[in-house]
Amino acid sequence: MEKLLLRNVDKENSHTIEVYLKGGGYSALRKALKEMSPDDVVEEVKLSGLRGRGGAGFPTGMKWEFAAADLKEPKFFVCNADEGEPCTFKDRVIIEKDPHALIEGMLIGAYATGCRYGYIYLRGEYPIGKKILERAIAEAYEKGFLGENILGTDFSFDLYVHSGAGAYICGEETALIESLEGKRGEPRIKPPFPVNAGYLWKPTVVNNVETLANVPLIIERGGKWYSQIGSPDCPGPKLFPVSGKVKRPGVYELPMGTPLREIIFEHAGGIVKDRKLKAVFPGGASSSLLTADEIDVPMDFPSLAKAGTMLGSGAIMVLDETDCVVKAALRLIEFFRHESCGKCTPCREGTDWLVRIMRRIEEGLGTEEDLDTILSVSETMENSFCGLGMAAHNPVASSVRKFRDEFLEHIKLGRCPFRSG
Ligand code: NAD
Ligand code: SF4
């Protein structure tokens, strides 16, 4: 497949505006501002079928339509660059290697929705990305792509980078907005959604980095062209970060709907030392795992939901036959316990309970009854206030359901069977 999202990343100095302009950069912005009305842009994005790449897959054109229809002022356009999910490192490639694609996507989105100010909320642990983005923004101001009366039109847009301080919860859009306002990053109740009441309670569009990098392509080549790539229900190119026990870990751009088996065994080279595949987390650290028999699934939102898991950020984490599923699930729930903001009881207490039970089992001190307790706590966590708590138990509960024998072996042996001695 022709590289679309990663078309620039292998070029020398791909992060500079000179290289971006040489490759046709900012021509989509020019086309949008000079030849299209804001409504035309929204319609084109709707026609493309683009769905959000942050994890939830909400239709981008519809989000923009809602924001455009809200006439409160000023409106804000926020890029969620707080990529904090373990094993998710796809947005980083765009931020560091093609920052102008992101800025151009934001400009087009801001024009379509009537936003005057923009923020890139950047993960605090991406200091290199911060320097690159700040430099790219300065370059875009110099060339007249940012600021007052862009390209001689009456569209004006100012853009700033805001660094997070290391809290995973600030990737949740309402916690991100609270943090941007200078408060502790805790989620707000939804609805109202940010498109109507976001930053400073004004209409605010929040889009993920990868989502925005798709936008110049859609405007340049048309929504119809885009809608024919990959899965009909959720088209387009998709970045899949692949990690764990594969021969060639990395970020792969493939059409949405590429089978998981093909990604692992063809693109990522198969399992290290030609061992057997054991299990895969197909959609980030909060997805339910799939066994080796379940990987003939197209990697798109509806297919993975049908398979009982989720596409999420599209991050694929692979375990081989030498990996302990109990230990892997324990590591993930330890992460979520640490990152739970503590605002609601099911998540704050649930993640802590799961860590304590899982540690006990991993150390060989668990009981069979613990497995029922894990599933019961997981069910309660479904009632958490935000997505973090609602999904945090997935790796643990799915491991118990699909690898019950491995848990029982830990209990029977009184130690981890993957540890010698
Ligand atoms: P969500 O379904 O609540 O919302 C998705 C988006 O659609 C939001 O922007 C929301 O404002 C908008 N939306 C939904 N309904 C709307 C409506 N009726 N009107 C207007 N706007 C509406 O999901 P979420 O909690 O924002 O995100 C959850 C996802 O985040 C998970 O699937 C997970 O995979 C992902 N995630 C990603 C990372 C990462 O690092 N990329 C980290 C953690 C979680
Ligand atoms: Fe905070 Fe977790 Fe509740 Fe979300 S689910 S509000 S992260 S405690």
Side-chain angles (χ1 to χ4, degrees):
M1 176 193 154
E2 175 196 0
K3 276 193 181 171
L4 297 166
L5 295 169
L6 299 183
R7 65 194 179 285
N8 292 325
V9 302
D10 292 329
K11 296 178 185 168
E12 204 178 334
N13 293 324
S14 62
H15 59 286
T16 61
I17 201 159
E18 286 76 23
V19 173
Y20 190 66
L21 286 169
K22 225 174 173 180
Y26 287 105
S27 54
L29 175 69
R30 198 175 294 277
K31 181 176 174 185
L33 295 191
K34 304 273 186 182
E35 298 169 30
M36 299 169 81
S37 70
D39 286 352
D40 292 340
V41 175
V42 171
E43 284 309 314
E44 206 60 42
V45 174
K46 278 173 76 181
L47 181 66
S48 74
L50 173 64
R51 290 174 59 170
R53 303 298 201 236
F58 192 81
T60 306
M62 194 189 291
K63 189 183 276 190
W64 287 11
E65 190 174 36
F66 290 154
D70 195 318
L71 301 180
K72 291 193 288 295
E73 285 195 342
K75 296 190 206 178
F76 298 96
F77 202 100
V78 174
C79 170
N80 185 345
D82 194 47
E83 182 174 60
E85 181 98 337
C87 69
T88 303
F89 43 93
K90 63 182 182 71
D91 293 342
R92 179 179 182 175
V93 178
I94 295 169
I95 291 165
E96 293 184 2
K97 300 283 186 188
D98 204 3
H100 286 285
L102 165 59
I103 295 170
E104 188 177 10
M106 284 189 84
L107 276 156
I108 295 169
Y111 170 68
T113 52
C115 295
R116 176 65 182 81
Y117 302 102
Y119 295 96
I120 300 174
Y121 189 100
L122 182 68
R123 182 178 184 198
E125 293 89 339
Y126 283 175
I128 297 168
K130 183 164 190 257
K131 278 194 196 141
I132 291 172
L133 280 173
E134 282 174 345
R135 181 185 152 163
I137 288 172
E139 288 174 330
Y141 270 106
E142 261 172 44
K143 298 272 184 202
F145 296 123
L146 281 169
E148 300 277 336
N149 302 110
I150 295 167
L151 300 177
T153 65
D154 58 6
F155 171 61
S156 302
F157 187 65
D158 287 300
L159 181 59
Y160 310 90
V161 179
H162 182 101
S163 274
Y168 169 76
I169 189 56
C170 290
E172 196 286 333
E173 58 179 358
T174 59
L176 182 157
I177 288 167
E178 288 279 298
S179 167
L180 205 52
E181 290 178 2
K183 299 185 217 142
R184 182 188 166 109
E186 282 185 352
R188 294 175 181 170
I189 192 124
K190 292 195 283 192
F193 290 96
V195 283
N196 301 117
Y199 182 58
L200 306 176
W201 298 97
K202 299 288 185 193
T204 304
V205 180
V206 184
N207 282 147
N208 162 265
V209 173
E210 184 188 347
T211 310
L212 291 165
N214 278 277
V215 170
L217 290 164
I218 292 169
I219 298 305
E220 191 73 49
R221 303 204 200 176
K224 187 157 181 244
W225 162 81
Y226 185 93
S227 71
Q228 286 158 356
I229 301 168
S231 299
D233 288 344
C234 61
K238 173 83 192 89
L239 297 180
F240 295 104
V242 187
S243 63
K245 297 294 185 60
V246 287
K247 288 182 186 163
R248 291 194 298 270
V251 177
Y252 293 92
E253 177 185 338
L254 294 163
M256 188 72 101
T258 302
L260 180 54
R261 181 183 295 281
E262 181 186 320
I263 300 178
I264 296 173
F265 284 97
E266 290 181 28
H267 303 285
I271 309 302
V272 284
K273 297 187 180 166
D274 293 319
R275 289 186 193 134
K276 272 196 198 149
L277 170 69
K278 183 174 197 175
V280 188
F281 292 98
S286 47
S287 60
S288 294
L289 58 67
L290 295 173
T291 64
D293 300 334
E294 295 174 317
I295 60 167
D296 290 303
V297 59
M299 287 292 285
D300 60 39
F301 292 106
S303 304
L304 283 174
K306 212 165 137 198
T309 180
M310 63 180 185
L311 180 68
S313 58
I316 298 165
M317 199 186 341
V318 177
L319 307 187
D320 75 19
E321 58 187 326
T322 67
D323 291 317
C324 173
V325 164
V326 178
K327 191 168 179 182
L330 168 62
R331 286 288 169 271
L332 295 176
I333 195 66
E334 281 175 337
F335 170 81
F336 289 119
R337 181 183 71 163
H338 181 72
E339 296 298 338
S340 167
C341 81
K343 175 171 173 146
C344 73
T345 310
C347 171
R348 185 188 60 238
E349 300 303 318
T351 51
D352 189 53
W353 274 50
L354 290 184
V355 166
R356 283 192 280 150
I357 299 170
M358 290 290 287
R359 272 196 192 147
R360 203 157 64 216
I361 295 172
E362 211 262 330
E363 286 163 8
L365 301 170
T367 64
E368 204 169 336
E369 215 186 343
D370 283 336
L371 304 187
D372 297 333
T373 312
I374 286 175
L375 296 179
S376 158
V377 172
S378 300
E379 207 180 314
T380 307
M381 287 175 69
E382 299 279 346
N383 303 311
S384 296
F385 188 82
C386 84
L388 190 154
M390 285 180 212
H393 59 86
N394 283 334
V396 175
S398 60
S399 302
V400 170
R401 285 197 195 96
K402 295 188 180 178
F403 288 89
R404 195 177 175 92
D405 286 350
E406 197 162 311
F407 280 76
L408 290 174
E409 213 181 335
H410 281 75
I411 294 165
K412 203 171 98 201
L413 285 176
R415 65 173 171 82
C416 172
F418 292 87
R419 219 180 282 147
S420 51

